[in-house]
Amino acid sequence: LSRRTNFDVVVLDYHLPDGSCEELLDRFGAPADATVTLVITGDDDPSLPVRLLDRGADGYVRKPFDADFLVELARKSQRERSLLRVESVLEKRTRELKASERRYRSLYEAIPDLVFVVSHGGDVIEINGQVASLVDGGGGSLLGRPLQDVLGAGDEQPLSAHLSRISALGESTFEARLHGASGRDVDIEVTAVETEHRGRPAYLLVGRDLTVRKQLEEERRKLEDRPNHN
């Protein structure tokens, strides 16, 4: 039968020398298994087909039967089994994707740094809670706005030049100044890389607050500039 179908087919007689074939069905009935399992029998018990299909059989044929009908039943069962395997794979990947998204979201919100996802056009697509609370009090009004409305490059180059550098090299690191909602500017160090957002190219920017480091550098500079009275 397998030679006529080009896939593996197991044909079991319901009545075996040491009992029924129902226990054997557990070996072949898993949806991920590519083997088609058919059961043949002369029994007329109306509940038998349902019981066999529940145990994993792909088809059920009463004796006597036509060999061509058995081949067609095997082919039909193989198509149905292929669909089940595809559905099983998709369901598994969907579960894995949802779990991955939950882990990503937890990390995304827990990270103490400032995280922006920016379109190649320079508009803010997504921010984490740290940015939201600092820039707009958590209201989300920053989404859809140009990044340069709240972020200015800390050197002579415009912000657009740094974004172009990311496109050219895949990454960039630069200092910038974040304009907070309260009018307080925050110096940050930005590490940026190419990424994707919902299938489209984007930039991922992670900013680290430089306030403490700048204060320490200023204190050290003042100490170095202080006259030596010794």
Side-chain angles (χ1 to χ4, degrees):
L1 186 61
S2 295
R3 288 196 297 270
R4 295 184 59 181
T5 57
N6 295 321
F7 54 84
D8 293 333
V9 181
V10 173
V11 179
L12 299 173
D13 195 310
Y14 180 71
H15 292 287
L16 300 176
D18 55 351
S20 74
C21 71
E22 293 189 37
E23 293 183 0
L24 287 177
L25 289 175
D26 295 334
R27 300 185 184 181
F28 306 107
D33 197 329
T35 302
V36 170
T37 307
L38 304 178
V39 177
I40 58 175
T41 184
D43 291 33
D44 57 3
D45 180 357
S47 67
L48 186 57
V50 175
R51 192 163 70 246
L52 293 174
L53 293 175
D54 286 343
R55 292 295 293 267
D58 295 291
Y60 171 88
V61 181
R62 293 187 187 277
K63 300 176 184 179
F65 58 87
D66 182 76
D68 290 336
F69 172 75
L70 195 64
V71 171
E72 288 305 313
L73 179 61
R75 288 173 176 164
K76 177 178 178 293
S77 299
Q78 193 270 343
R79 291 192 294 270
E80 293 175 349
R81 184 166 281 274
S82 296
L83 289 174
L84 285 175
R85 288 201 302 274
V86 171
E87 290 176 358
S88 178
V89 170
L90 289 176
E91 183 179 355
K92 179 182 178 182
R93 290 184 177 176
T94 299
R95 290 196 304 268
E96 291 173 346
L97 179 60
K98 288 182 177 178
S100 177
E101 288 176 346
R102 285 195 296 270
R103 290 193 297 270
Y104 165 76
R105 177 56 58 183
S106 297
L107 176 62
Y108 186 74
E109 292 300 336
I111 188 171
D113 295 325
L114 307 165
V115 182
F116 302 82
V117 180
V118 182
S119 71
H120 272 199
D123 295 330
V124 178
I125 302 173
E126 194 171 349
I127 57 176
N128 70 344
Q130 300 292 338
V131 175
S133 61
L134 184 62
V135 175
D136 60 7
S141 61
L142 179 57
L143 300 181
R145 288 170 52 191
L147 180 64
Q148 64 183 7
D149 284 0
V150 292
L151 195 68
D155 51 27
E156 296 180 356
Q157 291 184 312
L159 181 62
S160 58
H162 291 290
L163 297 181
S164 298
R165 179 180 174 84
I166 305 169
S167 296
L169 302 179
E171 61 181 3
S172 182
T173 300
F174 57 94
E175 290 191 13
R177 179 159 292 177
L178 184 69
H179 309 305
S182 62
R184 170 177 167 262
D185 290 346
V186 179
D187 291 324
I188 61 175
E189 181 181 61
V190 178
T191 301
V193 295
E194 281 274 10
T195 188
E196 281 191 1
H197 184 270
R198 297 181 180 176
R200 292 190 171 188
Y203 305 119
L204 173 64
L205 283 69
V206 179
R208 178 154 296 178
D209 191 340
L210 295 178
T211 302
V212 174
R213 194 175 85 182
K214 292 280 188 180
Q215 290 174 347
L216 292 176
E217 289 176 351
E218 178 64 19
E219 291 176 5
R220 184 179 64 182
R221 186 187 63 79
K222 290 179 179 179
L223 289 174
E224 291 174 348
D225 291 344
R226 184 179 302 174
N228 188 349
H229 298 290
N230 294 333

